[in-house]
Amino acid sequence: MPGSSHEALHRIFQKDPALLTRALQRVLCIPFPEPRDFAAMNVDLTEIEPVERRVDTLLRAETDDGVYLLVVESQGKPDERKRGSWPYYLSYLHEKYRCEPVLIVITQSSATARWAAEPIHLGVRGCPSLTVRPFVLGPDNVPLIANEREAERDVPLAVLSAMTHGRGRRAPAILESLAAALRTIDPDTAAVFVQFVDSCLADTQAQHMWRDLMTAMQYFWRHPLAEQVREEGREAGRAQERAESILRNLKWREIDVPDAVRERVLSSTDMDELGTWLERSYQVDDVWELFTGGGS
């Protein structure tokens, strides 16, 4: 399973290759032909033993217009060395496989996205011998999906949305919509997507919220992430952890919490009662609706 956001950001396309071509067509408006089939390929591009070169993900897409090699690079921050290695990757793959290579860069950073989108020119200034134009997917063009029905229509795209936008004030709506949509697909695939999102949430509050949501979805408790959450809950005290999650959600949603409410939540040891309050903490507009069941 992915252990970092770098790995998760490109491995989601190994799990669902069609998401990559949908992103090219719908997000970047690239007229990429509809693939008939995909195949994962060896990411090792090493040609001379001392110089090791690897791409993050490499997919072979068969279309009516020919075969394309989709080179996916996950980029956390600008790295000027890539402006030399990316042209090499494309030239090497074209020479070796005689297929058209396509470079796609995915990032969680708007600044990195702008850097990666800059064309790479090699040769005479103003008249280059080689130009590489990466296609970039990032927070400025990946759709922000914060609606349950929209998330259900394309669950992998909703996962990608959470991986790139899962921070700030919109995070509760994004993550809650995705959590609901995951119930509509098979549990094994959903469990993999859960890990991808968990690996990419750099915001501590967002990660806590995501794990709270996944804890509430009982069929995920056989997954390693759920086991981790369960173990953490045992160590800290399940009731106290759930109470703190409620208060954390309210604070994050900028809802004022009077001392009386805080004391009532923290003093409760009834797991069913705390579970009800936790669900309501994602929806209420007034803190007292935690106890009355109001809210939208």
Side-chain angles (χ1 to χ4, degrees):
M1 296 307 300
S4 67
S5 61
H6 174 93
E7 190 175 357
L9 279 170
H10 68 84
R11 282 192 58 187
I12 185 175
F13 299 117
Q14 297 176 16
K15 180 63 179 175
D16 187 346
L19 172 62
L20 186 57
T21 54
R22 290 202 303 277
L24 288 175
Q25 295 164 347
R26 301 178 191 176
V27 178
L28 299 180
C29 298
I30 304 299
F32 194 88
E34 197 65 37
R36 294 191 305 272
D37 191 24
F38 288 98
M41 299 183 67
N42 190 340
V43 299
D44 191 346
L45 307 186
T46 304
E47 191 170 18
I48 302 175
E49 189 66 27
V51 181
E52 182 176 324
R53 299 181 186 269
R54 292 177 182 269
V55 298
D56 288 333
T57 285
L58 180 60
L59 299 169
R60 184 176 187 271
E62 293 188 10
T63 77
D64 290 336
D65 292 343
V67 177
Y68 291 84
L69 301 179
L70 304 178
V71 183
V72 184
E73 285 280 280
S74 173
Q75 197 67 29
K77 60 183 179 181
D79 182 355
E80 289 304 315
R81 292 175 300 178
K82 292 298 180 74
R83 304 189 74 79
S85 58
W86 286 342
Y88 169 85
Y89 294 165
L90 301 186
S91 299
Y92 175 86
L93 290 168
H94 185 269
E95 174 64 22
K96 181 174 183 178
Y97 295 105
R98 294 298 173 180
C99 299
E100 297 300 328
V102 180
L103 174 63
I104 302 102
V105 180
I106 181 166
T107 180
Q108 294 175 293
S109 163
S110 295
T112 301
R114 290 191 294 271
W115 167 82
E118 295 175 1
I120 302 169
H121 301 296
L122 301 181
V124 177
R125 187 181 299 274
C127 190
S129 298
L130 175 65
T131 297
V132 174
R133 292 184 173 85
F135 298 139
V136 182
L137 296 170
D140 294 332
N141 58 14
V142 171
L144 192 157
I145 298 177
N147 175 277
E148 183 177 330
R149 289 185 179 179
E150 189 177 355
E152 290 177 357
R153 282 197 295 270
D154 193 335
V155 176
L157 186 60
V159 173
L160 185 62
S161 174
M163 291 162 67
T164 52
H165 295 288
R167 65 184 71 188
R169 297 184 63 181
R170 299 299 303 275
I174 295 169
L175 298 179
E176 191 171 1
S177 297
L178 175 58
L182 288 175
R183 297 179 186 272
T184 66
I185 64 175
D186 74 272
D188 290 337
T189 298
V192 174
F193 287 156
V194 168
Q195 273 281 336
F196 287 158
V197 174
D198 188 75
S199 298
C200 287
L201 292 176
D203 185 310
T204 302
Q205 289 181 310
Q207 189 175 70
H208 277 303
M209 181 183 186
W210 181 241
R211 293 183 177 186
D212 289 340
L213 286 167
M214 293 303 98
T215 301
M217 298 172 66
Q218 293 296 323
Y219 68 89
F220 280 124
W221 277 67
R222 62 185 176 80
H223 191 270
L225 172 60
E227 179 60 34
Q228 177 184 344
V229 174
R230 185 166 61 240
E231 185 62 30
E232 290 173 355
R234 279 198 292 261
E235 292 175 358
R238 293 179 63 208
Q240 182 178 354
E241 177 68 20
R242 186 163 293 187
E244 290 174 352
S245 296
I246 294 166
L247 297 175
R248 184 167 54 242
N249 288 347
L250 295 170
K251 179 181 178 181
W252 196 18
R253 297 183 63 222
E254 299 183 355
I255 296 175
D256 290 333
V257 180
D259 289 342
V261 172
R262 180 180 300 276
E263 291 174 8
R264 181 173 175 180
V265 171
L266 290 175
S267 63
S268 176
T269 57
D270 185 325
M271 292 301 294
D272 290 336
E273 179 179 64
L274 288 168
T276 299
W277 295 347
L278 179 60
E279 281 188 26
R280 293 174 181 171
S281 71
Y282 297 115
Q283 302 172 347
V284 298
D285 298 316
D286 181 274
V287 70
W288 294 103
E289 292 172 351
L290 276 180
F291 313 123
T292 62
S296 55

